[in-house]
């Protein structure tokens, strides 16, 4: 039976189709989910894609957090449903309090788009098991509000519990505290990151690398072996 991974489309989502393609390349079935629907169509996992949901009014991800679909995503994520938030999706996860901390505008006040070097810090989550801890990868990054912030207690907790999933290397592109590029919840089923793994899944498209494909093969293996 093929694993079904839902991809939510909000008004302003940009990378939902790319994410669906990455899921298909990994061998799973992408399922389109609409922001106004509470029904997740019995998917096995959910991805919140990148973009500018609701135009990033108020704060990035602040309005999307109250979409009908998020009511179900929040409930099921707390019950163990694997959820990945990419860029704007990461912002939505922090606004929904599925992940701690928050996102602010880049410290240089400019949109940034580049191939970004990362280090995998936690290969024990539902979305990172096909990596190795300490592995260095390149993933495209594009954001305006990508600066991860949290109070010192939260930062210490994330670091102490090994919940920093990815860290920027060589260059901090947005001023994120502790060079944090992505984090996970305590259970490891919810992961958020600013870079875009769906843009690094084929050698001839996007970055020309496949460093992002293990996100999607990781969750597929977890679902198949569950």
């Amino acid at each position: 039976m093929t694993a079904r991974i839902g991809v939510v489309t909000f008004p302003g989502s940009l990378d939902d189709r790319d994410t669906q393609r990455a899921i298909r390349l990994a061998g799973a079935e992408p399922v389109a989910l609409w922001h106004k629907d509470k029904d997740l169509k019995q998917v096995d996992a959910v991805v919140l894609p990148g973009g500018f949901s609701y135009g990033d009014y108020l704060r990035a991800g602040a309005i999307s957090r109250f979409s009908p679909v998020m009511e179900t995503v929040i409930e099921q994520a707390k019950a163990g449903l694997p959820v990945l938030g990419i860029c704007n999706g990461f912002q939505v996860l922090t606004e929904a309090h599925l992940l701690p901390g928050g996102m602010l505008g880049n410290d240089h006040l400019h949109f940034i788009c580049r191939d970004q070097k990362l280090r995998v810090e936690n290969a024990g989550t539902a979305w990172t098991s096909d990596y190795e801890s300490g592995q260095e990868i390149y993933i495209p990054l594009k954001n305006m509000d990508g600066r991860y912030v949290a109070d010192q207690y939260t930062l210490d907790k994330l670091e102490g519990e090994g919940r920093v999933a990815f860290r920027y290397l060589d260059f901090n592109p947005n001023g994120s505290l502790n060079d944090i590029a992505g984090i996970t919840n305590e259970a490891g089923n919810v992961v958020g990151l600013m870079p875009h793994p769906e843009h690094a899944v084929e050698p001839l498209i996007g970055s020309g690398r496949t460093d992002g494909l293990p996100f999607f093969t990781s969750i597929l293996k977890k679902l198949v072996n569950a």
Side-chain angles (χ1 to χ4, degrees):
M1 186 165 147
T2 303
R4 291 161 47 85
I5 302 178
V7 180
V8 178
T9 298
F10 300 100
S13 292
L14 298 179
D15 301 302
D16 45 346
R17 297 294 181 90
D18 287 24
T19 303
Q20 290 176 26
R21 178 173 177 80
I23 290 168
R24 191 175 295 111
L25 286 170
E29 177 188 352
V31 178
L33 301 175
W34 184 236
H35 71 112
K36 286 188 176 181
D37 298 331
K38 291 185 178 181
D39 181 14
L40 297 186
K41 301 181 181 178
Q42 298 183 317
V43 296
D44 303 300
V46 168
V47 180
L48 306 180
F52 300 90
S53 59
Y54 292 93
D56 278 349
Y57 292 118
L58 298 183
R59 283 186 314 277
I63 299 177
S64 299
R65 176 260 178 274
F66 294 102
S67 292
V69 71
M70 286 304 299
E71 181 179 331
T72 310
V73 169
I74 292 169
E75 176 184 345
Q76 294 198 20
K78 290 179 178 178
L81 179 75
V83 178
L84 175 65
I86 302 170
C87 196
N88 190 235
F90 185 12
Q91 295 161 343
V92 175
L93 290 177
T94 61
E95 291 289 339
H97 304 298
L98 287 174
L99 292 175
M103 314 301 296
L104 296 178
N106 297 340
D107 59 352
H108 46 73
L109 303 181
H110 295 286
F111 182 87
I112 189 167
C113 182
R114 55 174 279 141
D115 283 346
Q116 177 65 47
K117 189 177 182 180
L118 306 176
R119 182 171 61 237
V120 180
E121 301 283 22
N122 186 334
T125 79
W127 299 92
T128 60
S129 61
D130 262 2
Y131 292 109
E132 295 181 3
S133 292
Q135 183 177 349
E136 297 181 2
I137 60 177
Y138 286 86
I139 302 289
L141 175 81
K142 51 178 186 175
N143 64 70
M144 181 67 189
D145 299 294
R147 177 160 52 115
Y148 180 77
V149 296
D151 59 45
Q152 193 60 51
Y153 172 81
T154 299
L155 290 172
D156 291 344
K157 187 175 176 66
L158 289 172
E159 297 285 2
E161 295 178 354
R163 289 170 52 196
V164 175
F166 298 90
R167 209 180 301 272
Y168 297 118
L169 287 185
D170 297 343
F171 171 73
N172 186 324
N174 42 40
S176 291
L177 297 179
N178 291 21
D179 298 327
I180 290 174
I183 60 175
T184 178
N185 67 343
E186 292 182 12
N189 63 303
V190 179
V191 170
L193 79 161
M194 286 310 296
H196 287 259
E198 77 281 9
H199 294 329
V201 294
E202 294 182 278
L204 296 179
I205 297 177
S207 70
R209 295 173 175 266
T210 59
D211 290 6
L213 192 58
F215 275 90
F216 307 100
T217 57
S218 294
I219 188 60
L220 177 60
K221 289 179 180 178
K222 176 176 177 57
L223 295 173
V224 169
N225 295 327

